[in-house]
Amino acid sequence: MEPGLWEVRVSLDKRIARLLFTVEGNALVLLHGFIKKSRATPADDLALARQRLRQLRSET
């Protein structure tokens, strides 16, 4: 999606889930997950993942 922020799409029964994550060292860190309701990633969900990414990086 953008530097340091990745997305996985998972097909569920009649729905699609999206997981936004980053990689820190040898760990995959889940930042946010949601059920897809529109074609584009909703701005609120993306903003939340970015906020959590900033918080994670400020703690390390």
Side-chain angles (χ1 to χ4, degrees):
M1 294 194 73
E2 58 189 58
L5 187 60
W6 301 89
E7 175 185 68
V8 172
R9 297 175 188 180
V10 180
S11 295
L12 303 172
D13 186 37
K14 300 179 184 178
R15 299 181 294 187
I16 296 176
R18 290 186 179 189
L19 304 173
L20 303 178
F21 69 96
T22 193
V23 177
E24 289 290 320
N26 292 328
L28 184 142
V29 180
L30 178 63
L31 300 169
H32 185 54
F34 59 98
I35 300 295
K36 178 182 166 185
K37 295 180 182 172
S38 64
R39 185 169 178 93
T41 302
D44 291 346
D45 291 301
L46 190 53
L48 181 57
R50 286 176 177 148
Q51 174 188 354
R52 290 177 176 168
L53 179 59
R54 283 191 303 272
Q55 181 180 8
L56 175 71
R57 294 207 169 145
S58 71
E59 292 173 357
T60 58

Short mmCIF file of all heavy atoms in Angstrom, two decimals:
data_model
loop_
_atom_site.label_atom_id
_atom_site.label_comp_id
_atom_site.label_asym_id
_atom_site.label_seq_id
_atom_site.Cartn_x
_atom_site.Cartn_y
_atom_site.Cartn_z
N MET A 1 0.82 -1.19 0.00
CA MET A 1 0.00 0.00 0.00
C MET A 1 0.87 1.26 0.00
O MET A 1 0.66 2.15 -0.79
CB MET A 1 -0.92 0.02 1.22
CG MET A 1 -1.95 -1.06 1.23
SD MET A 1 -3.22 -0.76 2.46
CE MET A 1 -4.11 0.57 1.68
N GLU A 2 1.81 1.27 0.93
CA GLU A 2 2.76 2.38 1.03
C GLU A 2 3.95 1.87 1.84
O GLU A 2 3.86 0.79 2.42
CB GLU A 2 2.12 3.61 1.70
CG GLU A 2 1.57 3.35 3.08
CD GLU A 2 0.76 4.52 3.60
OE1 GLU A 2 -0.22 4.93 2.96
OE2 GLU A 2 1.14 5.04 4.66
N PRO A 3 5.05 2.60 1.87
CA PRO A 3 6.22 2.10 2.60
C PRO A 3 5.90 1.73 4.05
O PRO A 3 5.35 2.54 4.79
CB PRO A 3 7.21 3.26 2.53
CG PRO A 3 6.81 4.01 1.30
CD PRO A 3 5.30 3.88 1.23
N GLY A 4 6.19 0.49 4.40
CA GLY A 4 6.00 0.03 5.77
C GLY A 4 4.60 -0.42 6.11
O GLY A 4 4.35 -0.90 7.21
N LEU A 5 3.66 -0.30 5.19
CA LEU A 5 2.27 -0.68 5.44
C LEU A 5 1.81 -1.62 4.34
O LEU A 5 1.84 -1.27 3.16
CB LEU A 5 1.37 0.56 5.49
CG LEU A 5 -0.07 0.36 5.91
CD1 LEU A 5 -0.15 -0.22 7.32
CD2 LEU A 5 -0.82 1.68 5.86
N TRP A 6 1.40 -2.81 4.73
CA TRP A 6 1.01 -3.85 3.79
C TRP A 6 -0.43 -4.27 4.04
O TRP A 6 -0.96 -4.07 5.13
CB TRP A 6 1.93 -5.06 3.94
CG TRP A 6 3.36 -4.71 3.71
CD1 TRP A 6 4.25 -4.28 4.66
CD2 TRP A 6 4.06 -4.71 2.49
NE1 TRP A 6 5.46 -4.02 4.09
CE2 TRP A 6 5.38 -4.29 2.74
CE3 TRP A 6 3.71 -5.04 1.18
CZ2 TRP A 6 6.35 -4.19 1.76
CZ3 TRP A 6 4.69 -4.93 0.20
CH2 TRP A 6 5.98 -4.52 0.49
N GLU A 7 -1.02 -4.91 3.03
CA GLU A 7 -2.41 -5.34 3.13
C GLU A 7 -2.54 -6.79 2.67
O GLU A 7 -1.93 -7.19 1.69
CB GLU A 7 -3.27 -4.46 2.23
CG GLU A 7 -4.72 -4.89 2.15
CD GLU A 7 -5.50 -4.06 1.15
OE1 GLU A 7 -5.24 -4.18 -0.06
OE2 GLU A 7 -6.36 -3.30 1.59
N VAL A 8 -3.35 -7.55 3.41
CA VAL A 8 -3.73 -8.90 3.00
C VAL A 8 -5.23 -8.92 2.87
O VAL A 8 -5.94 -8.41 3.74
CB VAL A 8 -3.28 -9.96 4.05
CG1 VAL A 8 -3.85 -11.32 3.71
CG2 VAL A 8 -1.78 -10.01 4.15
N ARG A 9 -5.71 -9.48 1.79
CA ARG A 9 -7.15 -9.62 1.57
C ARG A 9 -7.52 -11.09 1.75
O ARG A 9 -6.88 -11.96 1.18
CB ARG A 9 -7.54 -9.16 0.18
CG ARG A 9 -7.24 -7.69 -0.03
CD ARG A 9 -7.52 -7.29 -1.45
NE ARG A 9 -7.04 -5.92 -1.65
CZ ARG A 9 -7.13 -5.27 -2.78
NH1 ARG A 9 -7.67 -5.84 -3.83
NH2 ARG A 9 -6.67 -4.05 -2.87
N VAL A 10 -8.55 -11.32 2.52
CA VAL A 10 -8.99 -12.68 2.82
C VAL A 10 -10.45 -12.84 2.42
O VAL A 10 -11.30 -12.06 2.86
CB VAL A 10 -8.83 -12.99 4.33
CG1 VAL A 10 -9.29 -14.40 4.64
CG2 VAL A 10 -7.40 -12.76 4.78
N SER A 11 -10.72 -13.83 1.58
CA SER A 11 -12.11 -14.10 1.18
C SER A 11 -12.78 -14.95 2.24
O SER A 11 -12.30 -16.03 2.59
CB SER A 11 -12.13 -14.83 -0.16
OG SER A 11 -11.64 -14.00 -1.16
N LEU A 12 -13.87 -14.44 2.76
CA LEU A 12 -14.70 -15.15 3.73
C LEU A 12 -16.00 -15.53 3.02
O LEU A 12 -16.20 -15.20 1.87
CB LEU A 12 -14.98 -14.27 4.94
CG LEU A 12 -13.76 -13.73 5.67
CD1 LEU A 12 -14.18 -12.72 6.72
CD2 LEU A 12 -12.97 -14.86 6.28
N ASP A 13 -16.89 -16.18 3.71
CA ASP A 13 -18.17 -16.53 3.14
C ASP A 13 -18.96 -15.27 2.81
O ASP A 13 -19.47 -14.60 3.71
CB ASP A 13 -18.95 -17.41 4.14
CG ASP A 13 -20.24 -17.94 3.55
OD1 ASP A 13 -20.26 -18.26 2.35
OD2 ASP A 13 -21.23 -18.00 4.30
N LYS A 14 -19.05 -14.93 1.53
CA LYS A 14 -19.81 -13.78 1.02
C LYS A 14 -19.26 -12.41 1.45
O LYS A 14 -19.95 -11.41 1.33
CB LYS A 14 -21.28 -13.89 1.40
CG LYS A 14 -21.95 -15.13 0.88
CD LYS A 14 -23.39 -15.20 1.31
CE LYS A 14 -23.99 -16.51 0.85
NZ LYS A 14 -25.38 -16.66 1.30
N ARG A 15 -18.05 -12.38 2.00
CA ARG A 15 -17.44 -11.11 2.44
C ARG A 15 -15.95 -11.15 2.18
O ARG A 15 -15.39 -12.21 1.95
CB ARG A 15 -17.68 -10.85 3.92
CG ARG A 15 -19.12 -10.74 4.31
CD ARG A 15 -19.29 -10.49 5.76
NE ARG A 15 -18.81 -11.65 6.51
CZ ARG A 15 -18.94 -11.79 7.81
NH1 ARG A 15 -19.50 -10.86 8.51
NH2 ARG A 15 -18.51 -12.87 8.42
N ILE A 16 -15.32 -10.01 2.26
CA ILE A 16 -13.87 -9.91 2.14
C ILE A 16 -13.33 -9.15 3.34
O ILE A 16 -13.81 -8.06 3.66
CB ILE A 16 -13.44 -9.21 0.84
CG1 ILE A 16 -13.89 -10.04 -0.37
CG2 ILE A 16 -11.93 -9.00 0.81
CD1 ILE A 16 -13.62 -9.39 -1.69
N ALA A 17 -12.36 -9.73 4.01
CA ALA A 17 -11.70 -9.06 5.14
C ALA A 17 -10.37 -8.51 4.65
O ALA A 17 -9.73 -9.08 3.77
CB ALA A 17 -11.47 -10.04 6.28
N ARG A 18 -9.96 -7.41 5.24
CA ARG A 18 -8.65 -6.82 4.95
C ARG A 18 -7.89 -6.70 6.25
O ARG A 18 -8.44 -6.29 7.27
CB ARG A 18 -8.79 -5.45 4.30
CG ARG A 18 -9.33 -5.52 2.90
CD ARG A 18 -9.30 -4.17 2.25
NE ARG A 18 -9.81 -4.26 0.89
CZ ARG A 18 -9.75 -3.28 0.03
NH1 ARG A 18 -9.23 -2.12 0.37
NH2 ARG A 18 -10.22 -3.43 -1.19
N LEU A 19 -6.62 -7.04 6.20
CA LEU A 19 -5.73 -6.91 7.35
C LEU A 19 -4.59 -6.00 6.95
O LEU A 19 -3.92 -6.23 5.95
CB LEU A 19 -5.19 -8.29 7.75
CG LEU A 19 -6.23 -9.36 8.05
CD1 LEU A 19 -5.56 -10.70 8.26
CD2 LEU A 19 -7.05 -8.97 9.26
N LEU A 20 -4.39 -4.95 7.71
CA LEU A 20 -3.30 -4.01 7.46
C LEU A 20 -2.21 -4.30 8.48
O LEU A 20 -2.47 -4.38 9.68
CB LEU A 20 -3.80 -2.57 7.59
CG LEU A 20 -4.98 -2.21 6.67
CD1 LEU A 20 -5.42 -0.78 6.92
CD2 LEU A 20 -4.63 -2.41 5.21
N PHE A 21 -0.98 -4.47 8.00
CA PHE A 21 0.11 -4.88 8.88
C PHE A 21 1.42 -4.26 8.47
O PHE A 21 1.55 -3.66 7.40
CB PHE A 21 0.23 -6.42 8.90
CG PHE A 21 0.72 -7.00 7.59
CD1 PHE A 21 2.07 -7.29 7.42
CD2 PHE A 21 -0.15 -7.27 6.57
CE1 PHE A 21 2.52 -7.83 6.22
CE2 PHE A 21 0.29 -7.82 5.37
CZ PHE A 21 1.64 -8.10 5.20
N THR A 22 2.42 -4.41 9.34
CA THR A 22 3.79 -3.99 9.06
C THR A 22 4.71 -5.11 9.50
O THR A 22 4.28 -6.07 10.13
CB THR A 22 4.14 -2.66 9.78
OG1 THR A 22 5.35 -2.16 9.23
CG2 THR A 22 4.26 -2.84 11.28
N VAL A 23 5.98 -5.00 9.16
CA VAL A 23 6.98 -5.98 9.57
C VAL A 23 8.02 -5.25 10.41
O VAL A 23 8.57 -4.24 9.98
CB VAL A 23 7.64 -6.65 8.35
CG1 VAL A 23 8.74 -7.61 8.78
CG2 VAL A 23 6.60 -7.36 7.50
N GLU A 24 8.23 -5.76 11.62
CA GLU A 24 9.24 -5.21 12.53
C GLU A 24 10.20 -6.34 12.87
O GLU A 24 9.82 -7.28 13.56
CB GLU A 24 8.60 -4.66 13.81
CG GLU A 24 7.80 -3.39 13.61
CD GLU A 24 8.67 -2.19 13.31
OE1 GLU A 24 9.75 -2.05 13.91
OE2 GLU A 24 8.26 -1.38 12.45
N GLY A 25 11.42 -6.26 12.36
CA GLY A 25 12.38 -7.34 12.58
C GLY A 25 11.86 -8.62 11.96
O GLY A 25 11.54 -8.66 10.78
N ASN A 26 11.73 -9.66 12.78
CA ASN A 26 11.21 -10.95 12.31
C ASN A 26 9.72 -11.12 12.60
O ASN A 26 9.19 -12.20 12.44
CB ASN A 26 11.98 -12.10 12.97
CG ASN A 26 13.41 -12.16 12.50
OD1 ASN A 26 13.71 -11.81 11.35
ND2 ASN A 26 14.29 -12.58 13.36
N ALA A 27 9.06 -10.04 13.03
CA ALA A 27 7.65 -10.15 13.43
C ALA A 27 6.74 -9.42 12.45
O ALA A 27 7.05 -8.33 11.97
CB ALA A 27 7.46 -9.56 14.82
N LEU A 28 5.61 -10.02 12.19
CA LEU A 28 4.54 -9.38 11.44
C LEU A 28 3.59 -8.80 12.48
O LEU A 28 3.14 -9.51 13.37
CB LEU A 28 3.82 -10.43 10.59
CG LEU A 28 2.74 -9.92 9.66
CD1 LEU A 28 2.79 -10.70 8.36
CD2 LEU A 28 1.39 -10.04 10.31
N VAL A 29 3.32 -7.49 12.41
CA VAL A 29 2.50 -6.81 13.42
C VAL A 29 1.20 -6.36 12.77
O VAL A 29 1.20 -5.51 11.87
CB VAL A 29 3.25 -5.59 14.02
CG1 VAL A 29 2.38 -4.91 15.07
CG2 VAL A 29 4.59 -6.02 14.60
N LEU A 30 0.10 -6.94 13.23
CA LEU A 30 -1.22 -6.57 12.72
C LEU A 30 -1.61 -5.21 13.30
O LEU A 30 -1.61 -5.02 14.51
CB LEU A 30 -2.26 -7.62 13.12
CG LEU A 30 -3.69 -7.35 12.71
CD1 LEU A 30 -3.82 -7.29 11.20
CD2 LEU A 30 -4.61 -8.41 13.28
N LEU A 31 -1.92 -4.26 12.42
CA LEU A 31 -2.27 -2.91 12.84
C LEU A 31 -3.79 -2.70 12.89
O LEU A 31 -4.29 -1.98 13.74
CB LEU A 31 -1.64 -1.88 11.91
CG LEU A 31 -0.11 -1.92 11.85
CD1 LEU A 31 0.39 -1.06 10.70
CD2 LEU A 31 0.49 -1.49 13.17
N HIS A 32 -4.50 -3.32 11.92
CA HIS A 32 -5.94 -3.13 11.87
C HIS A 32 -6.55 -4.16 10.93
O HIS A 32 -5.96 -4.51 9.92
CB HIS A 32 -6.26 -1.72 11.36
CG HIS A 32 -7.71 -1.37 11.38
ND1 HIS A 32 -8.49 -1.47 12.50
CD2 HIS A 32 -8.54 -0.93 10.40
CE1 HIS A 32 -9.73 -1.09 12.22
NE2 HIS A 32 -9.78 -0.76 10.94
N GLY A 33 -7.72 -4.64 11.27
CA GLY A 33 -8.46 -5.56 10.42
C GLY A 33 -9.90 -5.12 10.34
O GLY A 33 -10.46 -4.59 11.29
N PHE A 34 -10.52 -5.31 9.17
CA PHE A 34 -11.91 -4.90 8.99
C PHE A 34 -12.54 -5.67 7.83
O PHE A 34 -11.83 -6.26 7.02
CB PHE A 34 -12.02 -3.39 8.75
CG PHE A 34 -11.26 -2.90 7.54
CD1 PHE A 34 -11.90 -2.70 6.33
CD2 PHE A 34 -9.90 -2.64 7.61
CE1 PHE A 34 -11.21 -2.25 5.21
CE2 PHE A 34 -9.20 -2.18 6.50
CZ PHE A 34 -9.86 -2.00 5.31
N ILE A 35 -13.85 -5.68 7.79
CA ILE A 35 -14.60 -6.29 6.70
C ILE A 35 -14.78 -5.24 5.61
O ILE A 35 -15.25 -4.13 5.87
CB ILE A 35 -15.98 -6.80 7.17
CG1 ILE A 35 -15.81 -7.84 8.27
CG2 ILE A 35 -16.79 -7.35 6.00
CD1 ILE A 35 -15.13 -9.11 7.85
N LYS A 36 -14.39 -5.60 4.42
CA LYS A 36 -14.48 -4.69 3.28
C LYS A 36 -15.94 -4.42 2.92
O LYS A 36 -16.72 -5.35 2.76
CB LYS A 36 -13.76 -5.31 2.09
CG LYS A 36 -13.82 -4.50 0.83
CD LYS A 36 -13.12 -5.24 -0.28
CE LYS A 36 -13.47 -4.61 -1.61
NZ LYS A 36 -12.92 -5.35 -2.72
N LYS A 37 -16.28 -3.15 2.82
CA LYS A 37 -17.64 -2.77 2.45
C LYS A 37 -17.66 -1.91 1.19
O LYS A 37 -18.72 -1.65 0.64
CB LYS A 37 -18.31 -2.01 3.60
CG LYS A 37 -18.51 -2.87 4.83
CD LYS A 37 -19.16 -2.11 5.94
CE LYS A 37 -19.29 -3.00 7.16
NZ LYS A 37 -19.75 -2.27 8.32
N SER A 38 -16.50 -1.47 0.75
CA SER A 38 -16.41 -0.67 -0.47
C SER A 38 -15.17 -1.10 -1.25
O SER A 38 -14.33 -1.83 -0.74
CB SER A 38 -16.33 0.82 -0.13
OG SER A 38 -15.15 1.10 0.58
N ARG A 39 -15.05 -0.64 -2.45
CA ARG A 39 -13.92 -1.02 -3.30
C ARG A 39 -12.60 -0.49 -2.75
O ARG A 39 -11.61 -1.18 -2.71
CB ARG A 39 -14.15 -0.52 -4.72
CG ARG A 39 -13.09 -0.98 -5.68
CD ARG A 39 -13.51 -0.68 -7.11
NE ARG A 39 -12.47 -1.06 -8.02
CZ ARG A 39 -12.39 -2.24 -8.62
NH1 ARG A 39 -13.31 -3.14 -8.39
NH2 ARG A 39 -11.41 -2.50 -9.44
N ALA A 40 -12.59 0.74 -2.32
CA ALA A 40 -11.37 1.37 -1.79
C ALA A 40 -11.26 1.14 -0.29
O ALA A 40 -12.25 0.88 0.39
CB ALA A 40 -11.40 2.86 -2.08
N THR A 41 -10.04 1.25 0.21
CA THR A 41 -9.83 1.17 1.65
C THR A 41 -10.39 2.45 2.28
O THR A 41 -9.98 3.55 1.90
CB THR A 41 -8.34 1.04 1.99
OG1 THR A 41 -7.84 -0.14 1.34
CG2 THR A 41 -8.11 0.93 3.48
N PRO A 42 -11.34 2.34 3.21
CA PRO A 42 -11.91 3.53 3.83
C PRO A 42 -10.84 4.38 4.52
O PRO A 42 -9.93 3.85 5.16
CB PRO A 42 -12.90 2.95 4.84
CG PRO A 42 -13.25 1.60 4.31
CD PRO A 42 -11.98 1.11 3.67
N ALA A 43 -10.96 5.68 4.39
CA ALA A 43 -9.97 6.61 4.94
C ALA A 43 -9.80 6.45 6.44
O ALA A 43 -8.68 6.51 6.95
CB ALA A 43 -10.36 8.05 4.59
N ASP A 44 -10.89 6.22 7.17
CA ASP A 44 -10.80 6.05 8.63
C ASP A 44 -9.98 4.82 9.01
O ASP A 44 -9.20 4.85 9.95
CB ASP A 44 -12.19 5.94 9.25
CG ASP A 44 -12.97 7.24 9.19
OD1 ASP A 44 -12.36 8.29 8.91
OD2 ASP A 44 -14.19 7.20 9.44
N ASP A 45 -10.17 3.72 8.27
CA ASP A 45 -9.44 2.49 8.56
C ASP A 45 -7.95 2.67 8.24
O ASP A 45 -7.08 2.23 8.99
CB ASP A 45 -10.01 1.32 7.77
CG ASP A 45 -11.39 0.93 8.26
OD1 ASP A 45 -11.50 0.58 9.45
OD2 ASP A 45 -12.35 0.97 7.47
N LEU A 46 -7.65 3.32 7.14
CA LEU A 46 -6.26 3.58 6.77
C LEU A 46 -5.60 4.52 7.77
O LEU A 46 -4.46 4.31 8.18
CB LEU A 46 -6.20 4.16 5.36
CG LEU A 46 -4.84 4.27 4.72
CD1 LEU A 46 -4.07 2.96 4.76
CD2 LEU A 46 -4.97 4.77 3.29
N ALA A 47 -6.31 5.55 8.21
CA ALA A 47 -5.77 6.49 9.19
C ALA A 47 -5.47 5.79 10.51
O ALA A 47 -4.44 6.07 11.15
CB ALA A 47 -6.75 7.64 9.41
N LEU A 48 -6.33 4.88 10.93
CA LEU A 48 -6.11 4.14 12.17
C LEU A 48 -4.85 3.27 12.06
O LEU A 48 -4.04 3.22 12.98
CB LEU A 48 -7.33 3.28 12.51
CG LEU A 48 -7.25 2.48 13.79
CD1 LEU A 48 -6.99 3.37 15.00
CD2 LEU A 48 -8.53 1.68 13.98
N ALA A 49 -4.68 2.59 10.95
CA ALA A 49 -3.48 1.77 10.75
C ALA A 49 -2.22 2.64 10.75
O ALA A 49 -1.21 2.28 11.35
CB ALA A 49 -3.58 0.99 9.44
N ARG A 50 -2.28 3.79 10.09
CA ARG A 50 -1.12 4.70 10.08
C ARG A 50 -0.80 5.21 11.49
O ARG A 50 0.37 5.31 11.87
CB ARG A 50 -1.40 5.89 9.17
CG ARG A 50 -1.35 5.55 7.71
CD ARG A 50 -1.72 6.76 6.88
NE ARG A 50 -1.60 6.48 5.46
CZ ARG A 50 -2.36 7.03 4.54
NH1 ARG A 50 -3.32 7.88 4.89
NH2 ARG A 50 -2.18 6.73 3.28
N GLN A 51 -1.83 5.54 12.26
CA GLN A 51 -1.64 6.01 13.64
C GLN A 51 -0.97 4.93 14.48
O GLN A 51 -0.03 5.20 15.22
CB GLN A 51 -2.98 6.39 14.24
CG GLN A 51 -2.92 6.75 15.71
CD GLN A 51 -4.31 6.92 16.32
OE1 GLN A 51 -5.32 6.87 15.62
NE2 GLN A 51 -4.36 7.10 17.61
N ARG A 52 -1.43 3.70 14.36
CA ARG A 52 -0.85 2.59 15.12
C ARG A 52 0.57 2.30 14.68
O ARG A 52 1.42 1.95 15.49
CB ARG A 52 -1.74 1.37 14.99
CG ARG A 52 -3.05 1.53 15.73
CD ARG A 52 -3.98 0.36 15.54
NE ARG A 52 -5.19 0.54 16.36
CZ ARG A 52 -6.25 -0.21 16.22
NH1 ARG A 52 -6.29 -1.20 15.33
NH2 ARG A 52 -7.31 0.00 17.00
N LEU A 53 0.86 2.47 13.39
CA LEU A 53 2.22 2.29 12.89
C LEU A 53 3.15 3.34 13.48
O LEU A 53 4.24 3.03 13.94
CB LEU A 53 2.24 2.35 11.36
CG LEU A 53 3.59 2.20 10.69
CD1 LEU A 53 4.25 0.87 11.06
CD2 LEU A 53 3.45 2.35 9.18
N ARG A 54 2.71 4.60 13.50
CA ARG A 54 3.53 5.66 14.12
C ARG A 54 3.77 5.37 15.58
O ARG A 54 4.88 5.55 16.09
CB ARG A 54 2.84 7.03 13.94
CG ARG A 54 2.97 7.61 12.58
CD ARG A 54 2.51 9.07 12.53
NE ARG A 54 1.13 9.25 13.00
CZ ARG A 54 0.06 9.17 12.24
NH1 ARG A 54 0.18 8.89 10.96
NH2 ARG A 54 -1.14 9.36 12.75
N GLN A 55 2.73 4.95 16.29
CA GLN A 55 2.85 4.64 17.72
C GLN A 55 3.83 3.48 17.93
O GLN A 55 4.67 3.54 18.82
CB GLN A 55 1.48 4.27 18.29
CG GLN A 55 1.50 3.97 19.76
CD GLN A 55 0.11 3.61 20.29
OE1 GLN A 55 -0.83 3.44 19.53
NE2 GLN A 55 0.01 3.48 21.59
N LEU A 56 3.73 2.45 17.13
CA LEU A 56 4.63 1.31 17.24
C LEU A 56 6.08 1.73 17.03
O LEU A 56 6.97 1.36 17.79
CB LEU A 56 4.25 0.24 16.21
CG LEU A 56 5.17 -0.97 16.10
CD1 LEU A 56 5.02 -1.84 17.35
CD2 LEU A 56 4.86 -1.77 14.85
N ARG A 57 6.31 2.54 16.03
CA ARG A 57 7.69 2.96 15.72
C ARG A 57 8.24 3.93 16.75
O ARG A 57 9.45 3.98 16.95
CB ARG A 57 7.74 3.54 14.31
CG ARG A 57 7.43 2.44 13.30
CD ARG A 57 8.04 2.66 11.99
NE ARG A 57 7.93 1.47 11.18
CZ ARG A 57 7.74 1.47 9.88
NH1 ARG A 57 7.62 2.63 9.25
NH2 ARG A 57 7.67 0.35 9.22
N SER A 58 7.39 4.69 17.41
CA SER A 58 7.88 5.60 18.44
C SER A 58 8.25 4.86 19.72
O SER A 58 9.03 5.36 20.52
CB SER A 58 6.85 6.68 18.75
OG SER A 58 5.73 6.14 19.44
N GLU A 59 7.70 3.65 19.91
CA GLU A 59 7.99 2.87 21.10
C GLU A 59 9.26 2.03 20.96
O GLU A 59 9.79 1.57 21.96
CB GLU A 59 6.81 1.92 21.40
CG GLU A 59 5.56 2.64 21.83
CD GLU A 59 4.37 1.72 21.96
OE1 GLU A 59 4.50 0.51 21.67
OE2 GLU A 59 3.30 2.21 22.36
N THR A 60 9.72 1.83 19.73
CA THR A 60 10.91 0.99 19.54
C THR A 60 12.15 1.81 19.35
O THR A 60 12.18 2.98 19.25
CB THR A 60 10.73 0.07 18.30
OG1 THR A 60 10.49 0.86 17.15
CG2 THR A 60 9.63 -0.92 18.54
#
